[in-house]
Each structure stands twice: as C-alpha cells, then as structure tokens.
Amino acid sequence: MKDKFERHKQPWTPAEIDKLHTLAKKGMPLKSIAKALTRSEESVKTRAKADGLSIAKLHRE
C-alpha cells in the first residue's frame, strides 16, 4: 500500500528546503528524507536536483 500525500503539488517552504539540505548533506537516503518531509520521493528528488544536491542511493537488498 502506498502512502497518501495530502500535500500534493504544495510549494516548498524555506524550512522544508533547509531540512532537505541538512538531511541530504548528512547522507540520508531518499526514502528517509521523503518520509521526514512528508513528501513523495519524486518531489524530493526533483527539488534536490533543482538545488544541486545529491541524495544517497538506498541500497537494495
């Protein structure tokens, strides 16, 4: 079952952007960042790319 994101297409707040930068710099994986920000992985990936951030890849088991 997929998580439902109520904030679909909502603009990013400065606090969310700051948190994204902090978590990405700590090397947190995409899935964890998305959950922490209550945003979809796609949304986080798009925003990180726009800001020139690299997100750690989650290793598949």
Side-chain angles (χ1 to χ4, degrees), residues 6-56:
E6 297 294 332
R7 303 176 57 223
H8 186 69
K9 300 279 186 190
Q10 293 296 309
W12 285 74
T13 66
E16 287 177 317
I17 295 168
D18 190 46
K19 191 170 183 179
L20 168 63
H21 283 247
T22 301
L23 297 176
K25 286 175 186 165
K26 285 183 179 178
M28 204 176 217
L30 177 62
K31 194 172 205 160
S32 299
I33 294 173
K35 194 170 190 172
L37 294 171
T38 62
R39 289 198 174 257
S40 69
E41 290 180 32
E42 194 61 37
S43 174
V44 171
K45 199 187 315 179
T46 301
R47 182 68 208 205
K49 187 175 180 182
D51 288 0
L53 296 172
S54 62
I55 304 281

